[in-house]
Each structure stands twice: as C-alpha cells, then as structure tokens.
Amino acid sequence: MMRSTDPIRTIKGVGAKTEELLNGMGVYTVGDILSYFPRDYRIMPDPVKIADVKENAMNAVLARTANTPRTRRGRRVSVTVCKASDGIREIELVWFRIPYVKNMLTPGKNQIFYGKVIRRGGNLVMEQPVIYTLDSYAALTGRLLPVYALTKGISNGAIQKILGQILPEEPAFPQDPYPEDLRERQEILPLSDAIRTMHSPRDMEALSIARRRLAFDEFFEFLLGMQYLKGAGEKDPNRFSFADRAFLEDLLSKLPYELTEAQKRVLKETTEDMRSDTLMQRLVQGDVGSGKTVIAFLLMAWCSKSGYQSALMAPTEVLAKQHYETIQSYLALCGLSFPVILLTGSMSAKEKRTAYEKMQTGPDALVIGTHALIQKKAVFSSLALVITDEQHRFGVKQREALSKKGDKPHYLVMSATPIPRTLAIILFGDLSISVIDTLPADRIPIKNCVVGPSYRPTAWQFLQKEVAAGHQCYVICPLVEATEQTEAENVADYAARLSEALPDHIRIATLHGRMKAEEKDRVMEAFLQKEADILVSTTVVEVGVNVPNATVMLVENAERFGLSQLHQLRGRVGRGDAQSYCIFMSTRDDEKTNERLSVLNHSNDGFYIASEDLKLRGPGDFLGIRQSGVLDFQIADVYQDAPLLSKAQKEVKDLVEADPDLSDPAHVLIKQRLDAVIQKQLEGLNL
Ligand code: ADP
Ligand code: MG
C-alpha cells in the first residue's frame, strides 16, 4: 500500500538520478510530490495553418521541414535555423543554444511545432518551438494542462508520470486534519479531492474550488502557528532607559534633508514605544523609497548613545552591506563614532570571529547583517533593539529567534509591502502598526509607459541609449529558463537575444532565484559596482536594493505580475538624480489588462495600487497573476483571498478558545500539523 511518507524512489521509474533531482526541488516523499502544485495551467491551442498564426502569441503549426537545419555560432550563443512549410506558406524556426534539436526533426513528415511566433523583417519566425508528433499533440488538447516549476533533467511529463501512479491511490494522500463540522461550515473540499483536482482539474471552476480549500489550509496553519509561537500575548516589561530625545533632535539637524511629516510621526511613535513600560513590537509599513532606513539609523544611534547594542537584519547579503555602508555614512555625517559591525554568511571564519569579538567588546555597537545574526555563535552583550528590514522574507519564528538573542529587546519590523490595515492586524496580530504614507518631496517622478511587443526594438534602442549615457538598466522576465509549453519570456533566452541584438561592448548580466545565494550576491554586487550595464533578472531584484545609477526598468510580460509587485519593481529605479523610466511590456492586448496596467501610469501610491489591483481582478484571474512576497504563501494570496483569511482567523480563534491545548481527539490531526509547522520553522532556523 502506498503511503504519503514513502520515499519518492519507491515510485516506479524514479531512479537514483531522478530522485536526486526531485530532492533538489524539495520533493522527498510521495506526500511531497502531491503538494508540489502546478505553477500554472494552460490549454494547448488547436494546430493552425501558417497563414492563420497569431503574431506575438503561442501557436501550434502543422508543417514539415522544408530545408536542412543549419547551426551557426552567433556572437555568443549557437543558433539553429530551419524552414518549415505547410504546402502554402513558410515559417522560419529558430532555436537558441540547442543544436541537438536537429535530431528531433523528421524531414518529409508532418510535425507540430509549438512556440511563440514573431515577425522579423517581413518574415514569420517561431522561436524555440517544441516539437510534437501529431498523436502526442492530440493527446494534450482539450483540457487544462498543469505546468510545473521544473529543474533541468525533470520534464513536465516526468512529473505527470509520477503523479499518474500516485493520484489513484487514496492511502497515499495525507489525512484531512479538519473535523467534518469545520469543513461543512467553511464549505471546503476534503483534502484529497482538493489535491487531486489541483493536479488534474476537470475545468476552471473545479480548480477554483480546490484552490480555495488549499488556500484556507495555508492561512489556518499560519495563524495557528502564530498563536502558539507568540505565547501568551502579554507584553514584556521594558528594562531599558534611553537618552534624552534632545540627542535625536541634534541628529535631525545634521541630516542632509528634513524628515517628511510621516517619518517624523513614525519616529515619535517608535521612541514613545521605547520609553514606555513595555517593549516595543511595531511594524512600520512604508512604500518603496519612503525612507525607512534613516528611521532605523536614528533609533539605532539612540540605542548606542544610551549604552546599548542594536541589530538590523536584512534578507540578503547585498542589502545588509548596503545598510552597513549607509549607516556608517550617516554616523560620519552626525559626527558620531560608535562601533558598526557587519555580520553576513559569506564572511570568512576569521572575519566572523572578529565580528563576534567586537560584539562582546562594543556594548554600544550597531550590528548589521543577514540570517547570520541569528546563528548560535552570534552573541550580543547588551541588545536593546532588533530591526528586521523587508520582513516578509523572514518566518515568524526567525524574527522571534532574533529578538530572543538579547534579553528581550525592543522589536521593529520594516516592510515595503502595502498591506491594508485590516489584513495587517490579522497577519501581524502582535504588532502595532505605523505607516509612512508620503514620499520625500524632491523626487523626480519616474516616466511610465505600457506598451506591446512591437515596441520592443524601440525599447532595446532606448536601453542602448541610456547605457551610452552611462546609466544602467534592469530587464525583468517572469521565468528563469525556457520550459516546455510556455510563451513567457525567460532570463536565459532573453539575455541571449538581447546580447545578439545589442553591440558587443554592452555588458549583460543575468540573475535569478535558482542561483546559489553567494552567486546572486556576486552578480548584484557586480551590477552595483557598474561591472554590468544591463541586468536581466527574475523578480529576485525586487527586495530593497539601491542602485541609484539604474534609470530604466523594463518589465516583460507585465500582464503576468500583480500590480503591487510591479510597483515594487518600479521602486528599483528613480533613486538617483537622473530621470528614470519604467516600461511595462504587455503581450496581452485586451481592455482589462490595459486597464489594470494603466493604474501604474497614474499612481505611485502602493496602497492605492494594491486596492485597485484587487478591484480589477475577476474570479478567473487567480492563476497567472500573483503578488509574490507577501509572507510567501504557496497558494493563498493575501490580497485576493482576504475574505478567506478572516474566515480562517475566526476558526483558529474559536478552536484555541474551545480547546487551548488541542487535546480533544477530534483535533489530534490539527495538533500534528501544528507540531510539524513548528518543527519546520525550527529547522529553517538552523540554530
Ligand atoms: P526605503 O523606505 O525604500 O527603504 P530608503 O530608506 O532606502 O527607502 O530611502 C530612499 C532614499 O531616500 C535614500 O537615498 C534616502 O537617503 C532618501 N531619503 C530618505 N528620507 C528622505 C527625506 N525626508 N528627504 C529626502 N530624501 C530622503
Ligand atoms: Mg529599504
């Protein structure tokens, strides 16, 4: 009998090599692959005649090759070209970096070529077509096809094959943790039905119902986890005493700019917290560029002046280093000489040891770092304040671990993710909330435009022009590399095409989430040091980095991103003195998409944008468009599923009230899930 805890290699056809690849995707057991949900779904189009293809879209063409494929070395990549004909018209097929594609062509026989069609010169060109036999293609049409996130060596078909063996086996599914009455009250599907539907949905509606169940689960577990991790909810007494506020006033007079009213208000709220009877536990929400770092600096300096240490934790090395430099320069501006310590994972053992020592000998040090701050070896001597920047990247437990480092310090979270207050109260129940709702006045507004792919050559020329003027540019693509069955731009192929199109001296770097952390940091650092002119990247650049010399943000397939996410991306430019530009390239030319994207044209207010985004989305829009980043839920979307979030909150509240230690036999599975969640959080901590 197959069980969800069985190792994945017990599945027929999964050998040692496949197992290793699956492990790399976080799949170890049968249960793991059941919850490895599709990233997207697609419906394969019916094959068309070449005369009927739609430009700038995915097409399936029934044709046969009309000449011998030729592979040439392009300037940087190999390019394989071949003509295909359906007897009436011809289309050119182009593959980058896959010369072996030749072996998959069967001259003289009809095949299906599936890929994106563009017009180059006067000719139709299909890029990176996937090749099917007529039969294999016919088997794919007429249903919703799951599209999984893949790694090299594991195909979409391979995952479907494995699942094909598991889905019919009921005992392989995890048991539903909820009692019947809860399921009825919330009108949610049994767990195994929901999982099964996610992998092979009958139609859109079935999918939507299945997704709802799983989103509920994520919220429920998250909120339950918070309840038990948070403890009793009593605020701890404040044992610290801080210097006079006059010190802060003095610093303010030395800054190169005046704080905005919103910054002043947040400074007041936080300093009042820190002088109150209990410890501060506060969330500061401030749009990108609203100036949160200076608030961190002021509070940290105030700690030093009062004889205490403070810590600022950032989600990436690059960001930590940037904060380190910024804070040093602010201290210099203010004529202060408190010790500043940097602690990151990539530092050598010797550098780390030096940092640890300084933490022991500097009772008034400002400590800045990454996750390395919560490692066992990092011991603070007099920690009074912990600040985490871009909080959504950290788990609840991680922020708790950091605040446990000292003897219960004050605690501040800074986030650029605009979450409406009502949601924030649920998601960060234990935190007070401040909002920085205005931007510094002296900014040069970013020039925005929303365009279609026919504008791309012009956009590329524009990138070239900006680079010639000494500036740098970002290009964002939704995907890392080409996968079967997808038309969206990917970093690898895009960078290849761009480097073919632009002059050789323009340096193009790539960045994506599959790279190791050190690799990412190296690329980002190189971009920061102006060693690359154009950075082609996935949305990993969205977190807080500051490259003031970057003046263009070009987002490909903008229609696939949530507006909040696009707003965050836009926040990467417009940080220096030069005029900056944001180009949203949309391949979907319908009224609804245009209306959504045009919100970005006339607003620069993250909260407004998030709420408009929500309004403009229809019920079928839950796929494809997602806001990444907000607490990293896999399926649930904090904005779209807000009503579900309140429902889960009520269930959790009632449950905890009725059965605080979850000892009722009806709750035994819920208790097990909770223990698993806590265990996972602890493992993630790596203490
Ligand atoms: P974020 O809130 O996105 O973290 P930062 O703290 O990085 O924003 O600030 C963005 C830029 O704005 C920095 O260059 C900072 O020096 C500048 N800045 C912050 N506050 C003000 C202000 N009141 N007036 C003018 N510039 C400011
Ligand atoms: Mg920031």
Side-chain angles (χ1 to χ4, degrees):
M1 196 167 64
M2 199 186 286
R3 290 185 180 285
S4 74
T5 48
D6 289 351
I8 194 71
R9 97 184 82 83
T10 58
I11 301 297
K12 216 167 69 210
V14 179
K17 192 159 159 269
T18 309
E19 183 189 19
E20 201 184 317
L21 291 169
L22 288 169
N23 288 173
M25 293 154 68
V27 173
Y28 296 88
T29 64
V30 165
D32 288 341
I33 199 152
L34 279 175
S35 52
Y36 195 80
F37 296 121
R39 187 174 45 77
D40 201 354
Y41 298 83
R42 70 167 30 257
I43 299 168
M44 300 300 267
D46 289 330
V48 293
K49 289 240 176 293
I50 295 171
D52 297 329
V53 296
K54 286 203 200 81
E55 285 175 39
N56 297 311
M58 297 298 273
N59 289 269
V61 166
L62 177 70
R64 61 184 72 192
T65 50
N67 63 1
T68 312
R70 277 178 309 115
T71 299
R72 62 180 168 85
R73 283 226 55 87
R75 272 207 310 273
R76 301 185 208 195
V77 294
S78 82
V79 184
T80 304
V81 184
C82 167
K83 277 201 164 48
S85 160
D86 60 7
I88 303 166
R89 290 197 56 180
E90 286 195 340
I91 188 165
E92 189 173 85
L93 310 176
V94 179
W95 293 270
F96 296 103
R97 291 179 315 169
I98 30 178
Y100 52 85
V101 72
K102 282 179 194 165
N103 309 329
M104 292 150 78
L105 296 166
T106 50
K109 253 201 185 150
N110 270 327
Q111 290 182 303
I112 303 276
F113 300 98
Y114 174 70
K116 184 154 145 189
V117 174
I118 57 168
R119 184 172 287 277
R120 194 180 302 138
N123 302 324
L124 286 176
V125 179
M126 183 181 271
E127 292 186 328
Q128 299 287 67
V130 185
I131 306 167
Y132 295 95
T133 63
L134 304 195
D135 287 345
S136 65
Y137 193 77
L140 298 177
T141 50
R143 53 197 184 98
L144 278 175
L145 292 176
V147 179
Y148 295 91
L150 304 170
T151 38
K152 258 206 179 70
I154 299 268
S155 67
N156 212 52
I159 294 192
Q160 281 174 297
K161 237 190 194 138
I162 296 170
L163 282 165
Q165 294 179 58
I166 303 173
L167 293 179
E169 307 279 333
E170 189 64 29
F173 286 79
Q175 264 180 291
D176 198 317
Y178 303 137
E180 191 77 38
D181 58 324
L182 187 155
R183 273 215 313 268
E184 268 169 28
R185 223 175 11 251
Q186 298 300 339
E187 298 177 323
I188 49 180
L189 282 186
L191 183 57
S192 57
D193 290 0
I195 293 175
R196 203 173 269 126
T197 303
M198 289 297 286
H199 293 294
S200 63
R202 212 170 37 251
D203 51 29
M204 237 10 179
E205 195 192 347
L207 190 59
S208 156
I209 294 169
R211 189 194 157 280
R212 184 175 181 281
R213 151 79 207 222
L214 295 165
F216 181 87
D217 282 23
E218 278 189 303
F219 285 146
F220 188 90
E221 273 173 24
F222 173 80
L223 295 169
L224 191 66
M226 282 238 301
Q227 280 287 328
Y228 286 90
L229 289 168
K230 211 168 59 186
E234 278 281 287
K235 281 199 177 168
D236 290 307
N238 179 8
R239 301 165 292 105
F240 305 99
S241 61
F242 287 92
D244 210 76
R245 253 200 73 121
F247 169 76
L248 287 170
E249 299 301 335
D250 181 48
L251 294 193
L252 291 183
S253 71
K254 289 175 174 149
L255 289 180
Y257 47 76
E258 192 183 344
L259 290 192
T260 61
E261 287 309 312
Q263 284 172 318
K264 285 182 191 160
R265 191 179 61 236
V266 171
L267 187 63
K268 180 163 175 285
E269 286 166 347
T270 47
T271 49
E272 276 172 6
D273 280 356
M274 288 168 73
R275 300 180 104 177
S276 74
D277 296 338
T278 55
L279 290 178
M280 169 167 74
Q281 292 197 310
R282 185 170 287 274
L283 166 70
V284 174
Q285 287 199 57
D287 218 342
V288 267
S290 61
K292 295 183 290 293
T293 318
V294 70
I295 302 288
F297 160 71
L298 290 165
L299 295 177
M300 291 176 86
W302 198 37
C303 286
S304 298
K305 174 73 181 175
S306 315
Y308 302 122
Q309 291 177 330
S310 55
L312 173 60
M313 184 158 80
T316 65
E317 299 248 339
V318 178
L319 207 52
K321 277 185 211 140
Q322 263 189 5
H323 282 331
Y324 176 68
E325 280 156 23
T326 308
I327 296 231
Q328 276 180 322
S329 67
Y330 276 134
L331 283 170
L333 262 176
C334 296
L336 298 172
S337 53
F338 301 123
V340 192
I341 303 169
L342 178 69
L343 183 60
T344 69
S346 72
M347 284 167 40
S348 70
K350 187 159 165 260
E351 287 170 326
K352 279 186 199 155
R353 219 171 317 120
T354 311
Y356 298 146
E357 275 166 27
K358 279 204 213 151
M359 285 163 70
Q360 286 308 306
T361 55
D364 55 354
L366 299 83
V367 188
I368 295 145
T370 56
H371 287 79
L373 290 179
I374 56 176
Q375 308 285 299
K376 243 193 197 114
K377 285 185 183 155
V379 182
F380 292 84
S381 61
S382 56
L383 186 62
L385 170 67
V386 162
I387 304 175
T388 62
D389 190 19
E390 306 297 348
Q391 120 86 22
H392 59 269
R393 301 280 152 163
F394 296 109
V396 179
K397 191 68 199 175
Q398 281 166 323
R399 74 180 209 218
E400 196 178 72
L402 185 54
S403 60
K404 279 209 176 113
K405 284 258 108 164
D407 230 357
K408 301 227 168 144
H410 291 282
Y411 181 64
L412 188 70
V413 189
M414 302 194 303
S415 169
T417 313
I419 305 176
R421 180 169 282 267
T422 47
L423 293 184
I425 288 171
I426 298 177
L427 292 166
F428 305 97
D430 49 342
L431 303 179
S432 320
I433 301 169
S434 295
V435 181
I436 308 184
D437 49 10
T438 48
L439 297 182
D442 59 350
R443 294 281 156 82
I444 309 175
I446 298 168
K447 290 199 169 133
N448 300 284
C449 61
V450 179
V451 295
S454 61
Y455 183 81
R456 189 173 293 119
T458 318
W460 285 6
Q461 273 170 22
F462 186 68
L463 296 183
Q464 197 178 331
K465 200 176 118 223
E466 283 294 303
V467 170
H471 297 307
Q472 289 163 285
C473 312
Y474 296 99
V475 179
I476 306 296
C477 300
L479 301 176
V480 177
E481 56 192 34
T483 58
E484 318 148 65
Q485 325 172 344
T486 184
E487 72 224 78
E489 297 293 344
N490 69 82
V491 168
D493 293 334
Y494 195 98
R497 275 188 2 241
L498 192 60
S499 63
E500 283 294 306
L502 298 184
D504 277 351
H505 65 84
I506 295 188
R507 298 157 305 173
I508 299 174
T510 58
L511 181 74
H512 56 76
R514 294 243 190 98
M515 291 173 161
K516 294 225 168 69
E518 305 95 74
E519 176 85 7
K520 275 190 278 194
D521 288 332
R522 208 181 42 69
V523 172
M524 215 45 237
E525 189 67 32
F527 190 61
L528 199 59
Q529 300 304 329
K530 252 192 116 171
E531 287 159 21
D533 303 303
I534 301 180
L535 183 64
V536 181
S537 170
T538 55
T539 56
V540 291
V541 296
E542 91 189 58
V543 206
V545 283
N546 198 16
V547 183
N549 190 47
T551 51
V552 184
M553 168 62 67
L554 166 59
V555 184
E556 290 283 350
N557 296 111
E559 74 279 1
R560 292 190 154 231
F561 296 101
L563 295 186
S564 292
Q565 199 173 6
L566 292 174
H567 177 62
Q568 290 280 327
L569 288 169
R570 170 165 67 187
R572 298 303 112 227
V573 295
R575 303 184 142 245
D577 305 329
Q579 173 66 54
S580 288
Y581 306 86
C582 199
I583 307 167
F584 299 114
M585 183 87 63
S586 163
T587 57
R588 209 185 302 147
D589 188 19
D590 59 58
E591 209 172 299
K592 235 176 87 188
T593 305
N594 293 340
E595 192 185 353
R596 260 187 78 235
L597 291 176
S598 75
V599 171
L600 294 165
N601 264 344
H602 48 249
S603 174
N604 194 30
D605 172 348
F607 283 92
Y608 173 78
I609 289 170
S611 70
E612 282 301 292
D613 193 20
L614 201 56
K615 264 193 233 157
L616 293 172
R617 286 207 213 174
D621 289 344
F622 60 82
L623 298 168
I625 307 167
R626 293 205 30 172
Q627 307 286 358
S628 80
V630 186
L631 294 157
D632 291 338
F633 290 114
Q634 200 196 341
I635 289 182
D637 179 312
V638 168
Y639 298 91
Q640 272 188 81
D641 300 314
L644 201 59
L645 179 61
S646 326
K647 286 185 176 157
Q649 183 204 25
K650 180 154 188 341
E651 287 292 348
V652 167
K653 193 164 154 270
D654 293 349
L655 174 70
V656 172
E657 257 167 41
D659 182 14
D661 47 7
L662 301 180
S663 56
D664 184 327
H667 301 147
V668 61
L669 289 171
I670 294 184
K671 173 103 173 51
Q672 271 174 25
R673 296 270 290 239
L674 173 65
D675 292 343
V677 168
I678 293 179
Q679 185 58 35
K680 211 160 145 196
Q681 287 267 9
L682 287 173
E683 277 163 16
L685 274 182
N686 200 1
L687 287 174

